[in-house]
């Protein structure tokens, strides 16, 4: 029969059926949830009443939902109810099993037999039964507060100790989470890869790609869905009063596609706009530049910016990806970038297509493609390119890795190391507090026994101690969490600036985010802390032998709980020794790094960089003229002892290598050519940098474009190219230059990227023979280097007023910056070790001396019985010394193991370094022995009568 | 002997008729004018204890078909349970009488 209902009626029915479908789903979910909750109860309980409980929970949830409560409000009470009651059921089950292991169905002692008439007892003993569980817990909480108020120092010390540990862990984990665990802030981040060529030198992780390789991958690859190119460079902005330098990145249109970037306003440029041959003079601004320079004015679009001398039209503003500043490197590919420029505008001498490997690449894999498949695909494309053009593609292999790995891979070791360190600090703190609680529990034994004799359950004190430990953990966690987040803001100030080029720096984001992972971690830490702290006292307090304890004249025997206390003390000391020793190792390695001879003298040297705009300085003569004029002006600045230009300042992260072929020897295959570091310098460079000239001569102004090519080489180059011969006057060639190059001088080797690199051959060319548009100035100053900044700027602007200069810093600061990572690491570890040392020292001293003081009575007896004070003293200290030895031994073994783990970061120090290990052992051992000796000595001096009488 | 308040309330609730879990929760709430709102876990723990002591048992009989939910477990009072409840009620009555004698009770 046809449906005659109106559309309105039909829709209403559809709505209600849809609604109840949702309700049915929710009801099913609730019921399943109830099943899961009941599963938490002990098996016997579940067997007897489990089904009924599921029904009741389900009903309760349904009633709450009907009253309009949210899912959260419905589920939370159920969870809380289950956790509390299940816990009690489990405790009851365990107690039943322990008390009477052979009967499983025993009723609790004191309950009447259900067949006999029931006698009723009134009054006192029923107070226990009248209170509910919550009342008892509240009483424990109030009691703990009273205890804390009576001894505020104890509570404060314990909570602060734990808070320090928790805070450090929260902060460290937040960083680990932000850097290692969170994905990059781009859509489909798990499919992003960086595409690169296998590097020629061990100093680099990835080799650059060429435009042709990019085009081929785009055309041929079956695995890579989309690929883009990018390269960051500083660019000159002119047109306002002072020429300004901004951070630009040259990208293909596809770059935006790969990363899923969108325009906030206007548009981003397309592949056609950015490709060589069809390039348009356009530029896209970043959001922060738009805000800083244009105050977010919409009319910025369409305006012109003169970048590197070329006028470009602003076509759009980039929309920053969500949570960019909370991700590693602030988004890495676009972090800190001001301008996006078409890649074809990248300055190259003969155009982008002829420039070879110049660019970085990021791509997105097709869904479901594995990294291995992608690499095989890229390798194939590389081989095809090699077959088609063997000369240019010689030695180049294409490969890729996950983009996330590129960004964070280098920092993993350091971060894990730090996390382990803070974990150890927390452990030490917990052991400390545990010992404090344990000592208190032992003190209260008499009270426990009394209460037990009067009918209180033995579990009452265990419960109280557990509650106290939980309260301590909760307070400390809250406090520590706040401290930790606060410390993160301070961290940004301490941390080294990213860069220094090749030294992998930890890409900590500007704003370390607080997400559910961190909260979960903190919660977990709180639980562990509570368990660790409560465990020892709880173990102790459940077993007092009532009758013995209540005897008149019972004294706390010094052996009470000794085993447990000893174990705790040993653990604490071992942990501290390990942590302090490893920190000492690392700090030592840092010192070693700073003392490695660099080959030059970085003190009192001023540096700055510039790049000449290509359009203005297209002829080599113009470039040479500018630099000559600039150098001459700078040399006249008061305070400047000598000045020179160099292509790349050491430790700036810039530099290059070139292959070379020695004349008279067979020309090697271009792929196998020996490589040398390539520097371009003006005369006086070696004098400015105090690099020793070992033989021959420096460049002079006469070595210019008109004269034959000459070169100064480093000592290791000489030894490698002409072993046993005099290199002066010898000749070699490079693929990049036309004609032979004659050696005119030899200088000492220098370090260029890091203090710890292996010696590489270096060759220097004359600046006026190989004019480049980018260069750096170095000047040796008689006073503080930065004092001549303004004078130097004026000197340069006297030659060309539109030439911006940047990266103005002293060479010493530059060198320091590369060691920032190790120094930062060592600083943090030093702080942790210091904290651990203090905690451990106080803890060890406190507990050991407490234990010894406990023996006062015993010592008194022995003295009274005629033992000599010295003998007793020796015995007590001897025992302590034995424990100390064990602890130190364990700690040293752990330190060696940790040292092996850290050996990736260590330099110049073997993991088994006697000084560090001995130092840690000695310090902590001394503390421990002092803790034994001092109270023991005091006890042995005391009048035996007094000692005996002491309660 | 210790009769916890929760237990007494459950015994009271079962005195009139057999109930299932949720019904007990509702009845206890109504008996105390909304003051004692038990959670299922707490209720069933007490039920479990009383089952073991033999004061409460699962019911074999089912109520009328239209009110019955087949899967549900119903609980009833055992003779022992009835005795316990009476004893406790007696005890409370005696206390109330003393209170009344000392004019602590506002009602007559």
């Amino acid at each position: 029969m046809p449906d005659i209902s109106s559309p309105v009626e039909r829709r209403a029915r559809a709505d209600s059926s849809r609604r109840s479908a949702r309700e049915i789903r929710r009801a099913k979910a609730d019921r399943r949830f109830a099943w899961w909750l009941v599963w938490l109860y002990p098996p016997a309980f579940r067997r007897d009443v489990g089904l009924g409980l599921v029904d009741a929970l389900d009903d309760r949830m349904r009633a709450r939902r009907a009253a309009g409560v949210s899912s959260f409000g419905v589920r939370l009470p159920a969870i809380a109810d289950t956790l509390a009651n299940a816990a009690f059921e489990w405790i009851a089950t365990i107690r039943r099993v322990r008390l009477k292991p052979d009967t499983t169905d025993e009723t609790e002692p004191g309950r009447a037999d259900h067949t006999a008439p029931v006698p009723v007892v009134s009054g006192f003993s029923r107070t226990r039964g009248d209170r509910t569980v919550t009342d008892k817990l509240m009483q424990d909480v109030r009691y703990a507060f009273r205890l804390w108020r009576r001894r505020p120092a104890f509570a404060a010390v314990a909570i602060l100790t734990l808070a320090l540990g928790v805070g450090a862990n929260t902060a460290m984990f937040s960083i680990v989470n932000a850097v290692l665990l969170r994905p990059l802030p781009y859509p489909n981040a798990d499919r992003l890869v960086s595409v690169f060529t296998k590097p020629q030198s061990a100093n680099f992780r990835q080799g650059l790609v060429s435009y042709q390789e990019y085009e081929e991958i785009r055309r041929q690859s079956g695995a890579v869905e989309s690929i883009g190119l990018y390269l960051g460079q500083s660019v000159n902005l002119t047109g306002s009063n002072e020429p300004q330098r901004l951070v630009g990145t040259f990208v293909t249109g596809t770059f935006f596609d790969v990363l899923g970037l969108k325009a906030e306003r206007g548009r981003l440029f397309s592949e056609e706009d950015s490709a060589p041959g069809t390039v348009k003079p356009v530029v896209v601004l970043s959001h922060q530049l738009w805000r800083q320079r244009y105050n977010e004015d919409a009319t910025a679009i369409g305006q012109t910016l003169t970048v590197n001398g070329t006028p470009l039209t602003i076509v759009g503003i980039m929309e920053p990806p969500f949570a960019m500043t909370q991700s590693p490197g602030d988004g890495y590919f676009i972090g800190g970038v001001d301008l996006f420029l078409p890649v074809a505008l990248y300055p190259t001498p003969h155009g982008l297509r002829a420039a070879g490997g110049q660019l970085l690449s990021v791509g997105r894999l097709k869904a479901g493609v594995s990294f291995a498949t992608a690499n095989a695909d890229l390798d194939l494309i590389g081989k095809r390119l090699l077959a088609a053009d063997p000369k240019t593609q010689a030695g180049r292999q294409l490969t890729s890795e996950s983009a996330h790995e590129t960004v964070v891979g280098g920092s993993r070791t350091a971060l894990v190391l730090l996390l382990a360190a803070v974990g150890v600090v927390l452990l030490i703190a917990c052991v400390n507090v545990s010992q404090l609680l344990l000592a208190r529990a032992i003190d209260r034994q008499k009270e426990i026994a009394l209460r037990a004799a009067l009918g209180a359950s033995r579990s009452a004190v265990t419960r109280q101690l557990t509650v106290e430990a939980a309260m301590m953990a909760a307070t400390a966690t809250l406090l520590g969490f706040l401290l930790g987040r606060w410390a993160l803001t301070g961290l940004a100030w301490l941390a080294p600036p990213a860069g220094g080029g090749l030294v992998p720096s930890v890409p900590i984001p500007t704003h370390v985010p607080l997400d559910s992972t961190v909260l979960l971690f903190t919660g977990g830490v709180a639980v562990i802390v509570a368990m660790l702290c409560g465990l020892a006292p709880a173990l102790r307090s459940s077993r007092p032998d009532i009758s013995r304890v209540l005897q008149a004249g019972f004294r706390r025997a010094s052996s009470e709980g000794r085993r447990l206390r000893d174990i705790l003390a040993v653990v604490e000391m071992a942990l501290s020794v390990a942590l302090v020793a490893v920190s000492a190792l690392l700090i030592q390695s840092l010192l070693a790094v700073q003392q490695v001879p660099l080959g030059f003298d970085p003190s009192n040297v001023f540096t700055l960089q510039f790049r000449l705009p290509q359009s203005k300085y297209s002829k080599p003569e113009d470039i040479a003229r500018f630099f000559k004029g600039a150098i001459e002006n700078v040399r006249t600045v008061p305070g400047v002892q000598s000045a020179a230009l160099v292509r790349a300042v050491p430790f700036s992260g810039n530099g290059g290598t070139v292959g070379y072929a020695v004349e008279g020897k067979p020309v090697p295959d271009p792929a196998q050519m020996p490589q040398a570091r390539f520097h371009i310098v003006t005369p006086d460079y070696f004098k400015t940098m105090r690099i020793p000239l070992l033989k021959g001569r420096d460049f002079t102004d006469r070595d210019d474009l008109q004269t034959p090519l000459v070169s100064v080489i480093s000592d290791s180059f000489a030894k490698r190219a002409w072993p046993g011969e005099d290199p002066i006057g010898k000749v070699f060639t490079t693929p990049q230059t036309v004609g032979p190059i004659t050696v005119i001088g030899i200088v000492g080797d220098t370090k260029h990227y890091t203090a710890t690199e292996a010696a590489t051959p270096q060759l220097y060319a004359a600046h006026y023979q190989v004019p480049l548009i980018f260069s750096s100035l170095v000047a040796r100053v008689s006073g503080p280097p930065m004092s001549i900044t303004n004078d130097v700027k004026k000197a340069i602007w006297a030659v060309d007023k539109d030439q911006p200069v940047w990266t103005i810093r002293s060479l010493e600061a530059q060198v320091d910056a590369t060691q920032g990572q190790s120094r930062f690491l060592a600083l943090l570890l030093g702080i942790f070790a210091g904290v651990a040392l203090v905690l451990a020292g106080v803890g060890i001293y406190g507990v050991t001396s407490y234990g010894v003081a406990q023996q006062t009575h015993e010592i008194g007896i022995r003295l009274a019985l005629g033992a000599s004070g010295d003998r007793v003293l020796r015995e007590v200290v001897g025992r302590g010394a034995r424990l100390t030895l064990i602890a130190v031994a364990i700690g040293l073994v752990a330190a060696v193991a940790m040292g092996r783990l850290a050996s990736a970061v260590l330099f110049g120090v073997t993991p088994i370094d006697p000084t560090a290990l001995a130092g840690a052992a000695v310090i902590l051992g001394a503390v421990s022995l002092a803790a034994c000796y001092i109270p023991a000595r005091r006890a042995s001096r005391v009048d035996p009568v007094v000692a005996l009488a002491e309660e | 002997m210790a009769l916890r308040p929760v237990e007494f309330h459950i015994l009271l609730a079962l005195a009139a008729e057999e109930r299932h879990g949720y019904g007990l929760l509702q009845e206890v709430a109504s008996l105390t004018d909304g003051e004692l709102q038990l959670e299922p876990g707490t209720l069933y723990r007490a039920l479990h204890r009383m089952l073991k002591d033999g004061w409460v048992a699962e019911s074999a009989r089912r109520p009328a078909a239209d009110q019955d939910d087949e899967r549900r477990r119903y609980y009833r009072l055992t003779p022992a349970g009835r005795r316990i409840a009476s004893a406790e009620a007696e005890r409370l009555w005696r206390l109330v009488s003393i209170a009344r004698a000392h004019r602590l009770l506002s009602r007559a």
Side-chain angles (χ1 to χ4, degrees), chain A residues 482-501:
Chain A
L482 293 171
L483 273 177
R485 296 300 299 177
W486 179 71
L488 278 175
T489 53
L491 199 81
W493 176 77
L494 272 177

Side-chain angles (χ1 to χ4, degrees), chain B residues 67-85:
Chain B
Q67 289 168 338
D68 186 19
D69 188 337
E70 283 190 348
R71 305 166 300 161
R72 293 203 184 280
R73 307 285 164 122
Y74 284 78
Y75 298 97
R76 65 169 175 87
L77 217 51
T78 61
R82 202 166 277 277
R83 271 200 300 276
I84 295 278

Side-chain angles (χ1 to χ4, degrees), chain A residues 773-908:
Chain A
I773 52 169
F774 49 88
S775 196
S776 302
L777 172 79
V778 290
R780 183 162 289 278
V781 187
S782 48
M786 304 315 285
S787 59
I788 60 167
T789 310
N790 287 328
D791 290 333
V792 169
K793 274 195 197 167
K794 274 193 248 160
I796 293 176
W797 288 333
V799 183
D800 180 350
K801 67 167 177 33
D802 278 331
Q803 183 53 45
V805 296
W806 62 83
T807 318
I808 304 173
R809 54 169 98 134
S810 73
L811 189 54
E812 226 161 9
Q814 187 94 321
V815 173
D816 271 355
T818 57
Q819 293 164 339
Q821 158 101 332
S822 338
R823 213 203 337 263
F824 181 51
L825 199 64
L827 177 67
L828 281 185
L829 270 166
I831 293 176
F832 296 150
V835 169
L837 194 63
V838 168
L839 284 180
V842 166
I844 292 170
Y845 188 91
V847 172
T848 316
S849 59
Y850 169 81
V852 170
Q854 291 244 284
Q855 296 176 43
T856 311
H857 182 76
E858 216 180 86
I859 294 175
I861 292 181
R862 293 167 69 186
L863 289 176
L865 287 177
S868 84
D870 281 336
R871 174 134 178 272
V872 170
L873 181 66
R874 242 180 301 139
E875 219 178 275
V876 169
V877 174
R879 234 190 120 256
R882 228 174 312 142
L883 278 181
T884 308
L885 230 73
I886 296 175
V888 165
I890 298 177
L892 290 179
V893 167
V896 170
M898 268 183 80
R900 287 251 165 81
L901 175 73
S903 60
V905 196
L906 290 178
F907 162 76

Side-chain angles (χ1 to χ4, degrees), chain A residues 573 576-577 580-581 584 833-834 836-838 840-842 844-845 884 888 892 915-931:
Chain A
M573 222 177 346
S576 321
V577 166
V580 171
L837 194 63
V838 168
V842 166
I844 292 170
Y845 188 91
T884 308
V888 165
L892 290 179
T915 329
L917 297 176
V922 161
I923 295 177
L924 287 163
V927 168
S928 168
L929 286 177

Side-chain angles (χ1 to χ4, degrees), chain A residues 31 41 44-45 48-49 51-53 55-57 59-60 62-64 77-78 81 85 88-89 96 105 107-108 110-112 114-122 126 128-130 132-133, chain B residues 1-7 20-23 25-26 36-55 58 71-73 75 80 83-84 87-88 91 94:
Chain A
R31 193 158 179 92
Y41 284 86
F45 183 90
D48 294 336
V49 296
L51 285 174
L53 184 53
D55 288 337
L57 282 167
D59 289 333
R60 177 61 107 211
R62 192 176 317 135
R64 284 203 165 107
D81 167 53
N85 282 301
F88 283 111
E89 277 299 321
R96 260 197 294 271
D105 226 4
T107 59
E108 274 180 71
R111 299 280 275 206
H114 65 269
T115 51
V118 177
V120 171
V121 178
S122 67
R126 310 197 41 196
R128 172 176 66 105
D130 278 353
T132 63
V133 163
Chain B
M1 183 208 69
L3 189 66
R4 298 184 178 81
V6 182
E7 295 167 342
H20 61 64
Y22 190 60
L25 290 176
Q26 288 176 315
L36 190 56
Q37 297 268 16
L38 290 173
E39 289 292 327
T42 320
L43 175 84
Y44 268 84
R45 273 189 63 218
L47 260 183
H48 187 232
R49 250 196 317 265
M50 293 194 286
L51 276 169
K52 299 281 269 300
D53 289 327
W55 301 348
E58 276 192 31
R71 305 166 300 161
R72 293 203 184 280
R73 307 285 164 122
Y75 298 97
R83 271 200 300 276
I84 295 278
E88 180 71 2
R91 183 184 76 86
R94 238 172 299 141

